[in-house]
């Protein structure tokens, strides 16, 4: 690596583990990033096109070389098509994850998913009601079966509007109808995006971007929302619970099992198997004190929110966690799992297991989980992990874990407020809390690891802005100690007073990436209580270190839902001034919100504070 470890990450576990990885000659994501530099300028600007086989084509940004692809597409069309396909991929990832949960729900209803159950029947009935399913006097499995079926219909194409968009304020839905971006079917919008971006279909860069909004909304108010809600029905709605974070959650004297990926369908079964007394006794027989389950990335967030399971790290830490030599087994499902992990693990005793029928990785053993075999498979794998303990070499766990609080579902937030959003609204009206901001999304080696998330969160709470976090951003702020009640000492006086009285942290961990919808639902509740639209609220979104296509879909559904959103890394759109102008200004006239890009989190904080103060003024809050 070309620079000092401090230049790559602000975290002390990250710096120490990078040093260890270096001495073990483990290649990391940062090295591979440096090997790629300089990255292709055409691709960086979104000006290269590989969509058809008359190409590949590229547009010369200096205006000297070709200005059209072989088909005749210009820079605007190529940039918009590329962005559209990013949104489609992101929406597909979240929504397909949601579908997997609906299938488990259907199997639970039929009694074909041993080990899974309906953990939150109240929520099941509430959502069934939203789908106009009769619940009175009916058995839980029957309701669950009907709900699974009705949700599957949302994936199809025969509706005018998705069922759960009803949760958005009426004003917002009118905006979507007027702009022609009301999502109709979850799969339909993604499929239509692939169609529109095929050569010779939609060549209006404006209409492509508008469909991008609709496609993203089909994720935010469809696939992701279903994923989040069905996870609550099956595994329980999160409530505030204490937990620990960073690489120090690994134990020198216990069998360490890590779950990595996104879908709680796998990690929940592993969680249950880790409680099994026979397996714990076996671990003791092997000389360990017990079995320690920890999470990485979003499936870790799911377990953390529901059961207080510790979190070993976020996206850029996934290779370094293996380099501790302390992990007996890592189980992955899908999304954000670096294809390098199998190779990394081959240098240690760590067993790598892939579990999803749709995700294979080099250097991993494939053991497929299906609802009917998950329970048995989880037991077998935890047993194998325990047996692996004897093969452990030297371990290096260089830090102590940090305390944090997770599990702030919308239900938990309103619960903390005494049952209604009213106290939060009063605090905002009184100006003690100026507004709220979401910090979400990934890590990206283009930004110093965790620096964007942590700096932005610190700046915002200092300015009396309540922060909600999800995904890898939530893990970053947790590691920095900001997700603990004591962190109110870093908050401005008003936020400190309110959070202190409610005994909540100034940075609320709302869950995984699909749980970004919880932020939308909370924003809708605030807007409805004020009789206004989401775009009128003093709120903002941000993704300071995003990398994935899913993050593009998330940011787009936030903006389409009326939330001003600041991105850290620049998306590949700079090849088209028209596209940039529409996304950063023009959208204001259509959805009442727009994007901004600001890689420096201190400056991003200024943008967000300014936006929130402007919204307050428009609402007449400070007059
Ligand atoms: Ni889904 S999408 S790196 S794990 S937040 Fe983390 Fe979160 Fe981005 Fe992936």
């Amino acid at each position: 690596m070309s620079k000092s470890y401090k230049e790559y990450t602000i975290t002390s576990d990250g710096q120490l583990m990078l040093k260890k990885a270096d001495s073990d000659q483990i290649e990391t994501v940062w090295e591979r990033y440096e090997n790629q530099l300089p990255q292709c300028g055409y691709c960086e600007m979104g000006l290269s096109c590989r969509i058809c086989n008359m190409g590949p084509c590229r547009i010369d940004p200096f205006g000297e070389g070709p200005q059209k692809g072989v088909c005749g597409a210009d820079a605007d069309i190529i940039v918009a098509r590329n962005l559209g396909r990013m949104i489609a991929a992101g929406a597909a990832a979240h929504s397909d994850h949601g579908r997997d949960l609906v299938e488990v729900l259907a199997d639970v209803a039929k009694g074909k998913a041993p080990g899974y159950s309906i953990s939150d029947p109240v929520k099941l009935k509430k959502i069934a009601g939203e789908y106009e399913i009769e619940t009175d006097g009916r058995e839980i499995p029957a309701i669950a079966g009907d709900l699974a079926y009705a949700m599957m219909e949302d994936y199809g194409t025969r509706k005018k509007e998705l069922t759960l968009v009803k949760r958005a304020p009426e004003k917002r839905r009118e905006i979507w109808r007027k702009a022609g971006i009301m999502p109709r079917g979850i799969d339909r919008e993604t499929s239509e995006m692939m169609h529109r971006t095929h050569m010779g279909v939609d060549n209006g860069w404006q209409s492509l971007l508008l469909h991008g909004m609709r496609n993203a909304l089909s994720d935010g108010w469809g696939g992701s929302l279903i994923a989040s809600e069905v996870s609550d029905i099956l595994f329980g709605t999160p409530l505030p619970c204490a937990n620990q974070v960073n690489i120090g959650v690994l134990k020198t004297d216990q069998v360490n099992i890590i779950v990595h990926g996104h879908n709680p369908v796998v990690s929940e079964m592993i969680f249950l198997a880790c409680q099994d007394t026979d397996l714990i006794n076996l671990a003791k027989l092997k000389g360990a004190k017990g079995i320690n389950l920890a999470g990485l990335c979003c499936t870790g967030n799911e377990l953390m929110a529901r059961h207080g399971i510790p979190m070993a790290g976020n996206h850029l830490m996934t290779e370094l966690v293996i380099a501790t030599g302390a992990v007996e087994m890592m189980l992955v499902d899908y999304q954000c799992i670096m294809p390098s992990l199998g190779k990394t693990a081959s240098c240690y005793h760590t067993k790598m297991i892939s579990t999803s029928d749709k995700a294979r990785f080099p250097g991993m053993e494939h053991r497929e989980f299906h609802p009917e075999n998950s329970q048995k498979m989880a037991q077998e794998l935890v047993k194998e992990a325990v047996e692996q303990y004897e093969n452990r070499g030297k371990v290096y766990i260089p830090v102590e874990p940090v305390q944090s609080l997770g599990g702030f579902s919308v239900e938990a937030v309103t619960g903390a407020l005494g049952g209604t959003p009213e106290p939060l609204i009063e605090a905002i009206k009184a100006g003690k809390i100026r507004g709220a901001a979401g910090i979400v999304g990934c890590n990206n080696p283009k930004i110093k690891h965790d620096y964007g998330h942590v700096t932005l969160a610190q700046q915002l709470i200092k300015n009396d802005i309540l922060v909600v976090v999800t995904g890898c951003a939530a893990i970053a702020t947790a590691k920095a100690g900001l997700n603990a009640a004591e962190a109110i000492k870093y908050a401005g006086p008003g936020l400190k007073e309110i959070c202190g009285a409610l005994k909540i942290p100034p940075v609320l961990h709302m869950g995984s990436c699909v749980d970004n919808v919880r932020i939308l639902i909370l924003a809708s509740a605030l807007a409805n209580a004020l009789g206004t639209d989401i775009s009128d609220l003093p709120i903002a979104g941000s993704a300071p270190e995003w990398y994935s296509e899913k993050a593009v879909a998330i940011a787009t559904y936030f903006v389409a839902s009326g939330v001003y959103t600041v991105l850290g890394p620049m998306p590949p759109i700079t090849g088209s001034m028209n596209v940039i102008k529409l996304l950063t200004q023009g959208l204001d006239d259509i959805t009442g919100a727009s994007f901004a890009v600001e890689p420096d989190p201190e400056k991003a904080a200024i943008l967000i504070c300014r936006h929130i103060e402007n919204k307050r003024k428009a609402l007449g809050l400070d007059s």
Side-chain angles (χ1 to χ4, degrees):
M1 300 182 68
S2 64
K3 298 179 277 189
S4 91
Y5 303 120
K6 282 198 172 81
E7 299 297 316
Y8 297 101
T9 171
I10 62 164
T11 63
S12 47
D13 60 345
Q15 290 163 9
L16 292 162
M17 286 312 303
L18 262 180
K19 189 164 174 219
K20 162 82 159 51
D22 232 1
S23 74
D24 287 0
Q25 294 184 307
I26 301 295
E27 178 195 270
T28 65
V29 58
W30 285 281
E31 260 181 284
R32 293 190 298 270
Y33 172 65
E34 287 181 347
N35 290 341
Q36 285 290 339
L37 295 176
Q39 288 175 314
C40 170
Y42 296 98
C43 293
E44 233 166 29
M45 300 178 79
L47 286 175
S48 51
C49 180
R50 293 181 285 95
I51 286 178
C52 89
N53 204 29
M54 292 192 287
C57 299
R58 52 193 190 181
I59 304 296
D60 180 10
F62 302 110
E64 287 156 13
Q67 295 302 297
K68 300 254 166 72
V70 178
C71 73
D74 61 12
D76 297 331
I77 297 172
I78 290 178
V79 168
R81 274 199 311 221
N82 287 339
L83 185 66
R85 287 202 166 189
M86 285 184 93
I87 295 171
H94 287 142
S95 303
D96 203 39
H97 160 174
R99 183 192 340 262
D100 285 341
L101 284 152
V102 177
E103 286 190 338
V104 175
L105 183 67
D107 282 349
V108 169
K110 289 188 218 136
K112 279 193 186 160
Y116 296 100
S117 60
I118 304 294
S119 297
D120 191 342
V122 176
K123 191 156 200 173
L124 171 74
K125 286 187 187 164
K126 182 184 154 265
I127 296 172
E130 291 181 83
Y131 276 85
E132 292 170 13
I133 293 166
E134 187 55 57
T135 54
D136 277 353
R138 294 185 69 205
E139 299 284 333
I140 292 295
I143 301 171
D146 284 356
L147 180 60
Y149 191 83
M151 284 176 157
M152 281 298 185
E153 295 269 280
D154 267 337
Y155 280 83
T157 61
R158 300 209 43 200
K159 291 188 176 175
K160 286 208 172 70
E161 302 186 356
L162 291 180
T163 310
L164 295 175
V165 297
K166 281 184 289 194
R167 293 184 182 183
E170 177 52 32
K171 281 186 186 165
R172 181 60 21 197
R173 280 178 278 152
E174 237 353 273
I175 289 170
W176 293 337
R177 286 184 201 117
K178 218 174 121 213
I181 58 171
M182 176 63 86
R184 301 155 297 179
I186 299 165
D187 288 342
R188 174 180 185 165
E189 308 308 356
T190 294
S191 181
E192 185 171 318
M193 180 58 89
M194 297 311 285
H195 179 194
R196 281 176 182 246
T197 52
H198 186 282
M199 150 47 195
V201 185
D202 193 357
N203 290 291
W205 55 271
Q206 301 96 327
S207 49
L208 276 168
L209 295 176
L210 279 179
H211 183 67
M213 296 266 151
R214 177 157 56 182
N215 194 175
L217 287 171
S218 80
D219 174 6
W221 297 88
S224 275
L225 187 48
I226 286 176
S228 190
E229 296 290 35
V230 177
S231 297
D232 284 359
I233 291 172
L234 289 171
F235 309 119
T237 302
L239 288 172
C241 59
N243 50 63
Q244 298 189 320
V245 282
N246 80 24
I247 228 161
V249 303
L250 297 176
K251 300 276 178 272
T252 48
D253 52 4
Q254 294 195 37
V255 175
N256 292 308
I257 300 179
I258 297 267
V259 280
H260 175 19
H262 282 79
N263 203 323
V265 161
V266 173
S267 55
E268 281 281 341
M269 278 298 132
I270 299 292
F271 165 71
L272 290 177
C274 288
Q275 328 278 310
D276 187 285
T277 345
D278 289 343
L279 290 171
I280 295 171
N281 286 337
L282 181 67
K284 288 183 179 153
L285 214 66
K286 300 279 175 193
K289 286 218 175 99
I291 304 173
N292 179 41
L293 177 66
L296 281 174
C297 288
C298 278
T299 208
N301 279 323
E302 300 269 351
L303 285 184
M304 181 193 230
R306 297 199 176 84
H307 312 293
I309 290 297
M311 172 70 78
N314 47 7
H315 181 51
L316 290 188
M317 291 300 291
T318 55
E319 291 169 305
L320 298 178
V321 163
I322 296 173
T324 58
V327 179
E328 272 59 52
M329 182 177 282
M330 183 184 286
L331 299 112
V332 307
D333 50 74
Y334 43 54
Q335 299 169 17
C336 304
I337 295 144
M338 293 188 212
S340 59
L341 291 181
K343 176 93 192 303
T344 311
S346 68
C347 303
Y348 305 92
H349 76 308
T350 308
K351 265 200 173 187
M352 299 297 297
I353 309 289
S354 54
T355 60
S356 163
D357 59 346
K358 45 195 147 201
R360 312 274 170 130
F361 301 86
M364 294 197 194
E365 199 179 314
H366 190 67
R367 305 279 284 275
E368 229 164 88
F369 276 59
H370 296 282
E372 65 279 3
N373 78 350
S374 287
Q375 192 179 35
K376 201 165 146 266
M377 188 69 97
Q379 293 270 342
E380 281 170 23
L381 285 167
V382 171
K383 181 160 178 270
E384 286 173 36
V386 168
E387 280 158 358
Q388 196 65 357
Y389 184 70
E390 299 174 322
N391 300 327
R392 206 188 253 192
K394 240 168 107 186
V395 308
Y396 178 65
I397 304 171
V399 295
E400 288 298 317
V402 172
Q403 300 293 332
S404 88
L405 212 59
F408 287 96
S409 56
V410 176
E411 292 82 347
V413 174
T414 35
L417 296 168
T420 73
E422 209 43 50
L424 182 57
I425 291 171
E426 283 313 312
I428 291 174
K429 278 186 179 163
K432 288 188 173 167
I433 296 180
R434 308 302 297 171
I439 306 180
V440 311
C442 329
N443 296 135
N444 183 329
K446 292 178 178 173
I447 303 262
K448 193 193 283 190
H449 173 229
D450 283 3
Y451 172 73
H453 299 309
V454 172
T455 312
L456 181 58
Q458 284 166 335
Q459 292 300 325
L460 293 177
I461 63 173
K462 202 165 85 188
N463 283 290
D464 287 321
I465 292 168
L466 179 69
V467 171
V468 294
V469 286
T470 61
C472 288
I475 308 170
T477 54
K479 285 184 283 177
L482 299 174
N483 300 12
E486 299 74 53
I488 58 168
K489 62 175 180 263
Y490 306 116
L495 184 63
K496 188 185 209 165
E497 182 194 322
I498 302 291
C499 291
L502 296 169
K503 298 195 172 52
I504 57 170
V507 178
L508 300 178
H509 186 317
M510 291 191 80
S512 65
C513 288
V514 293
D515 292 330
N516 280 312
V517 300
R518 298 190 199 273
I519 302 177
L520 287 183
I521 301 303
L522 187 58
S524 297
L526 292 180
N528 285 333
L530 284 164
T532 175
D533 176 41
I534 298 174
S535 64
D536 298 322
L537 298 173
I539 61 173
S542 66
E545 302 180 31
W546 75 275
Y547 93 88
S548 88
E549 291 161 318
K550 291 179 290 169
V552 180
I554 294 167
T556 307
Y557 73 62
F558 265 93
V559 170
S561 300
V563 183
Y564 169 72
T565 299
V566 185
L567 304 176
M570 178 59 101
I573 58 169
T574 51
S576 166
M577 267 325 283
N578 281 328
V579 169
I580 290 187
K581 263 200 221 138
L582 180 70
L583 295 182
T584 57
Q585 295 164 15
L587 282 181
D588 265 319
D589 297 330
I590 305 168
T591 73
S594 58
F595 287 97
V597 178
E598 179 48 73
D600 178 344
E602 310 232 2
K603 290 186 188 150
I606 295 171
L607 291 178
I608 290 173
C609 290
R610 203 184 290 153
H611 171 80
I612 283 177
E613 292 306 324
N614 285 339
K615 288 291 170 186
R616 291 184 62 85
K617 225 176 272 155
L619 277 172
L621 290 180
D622 298 313
S623 50

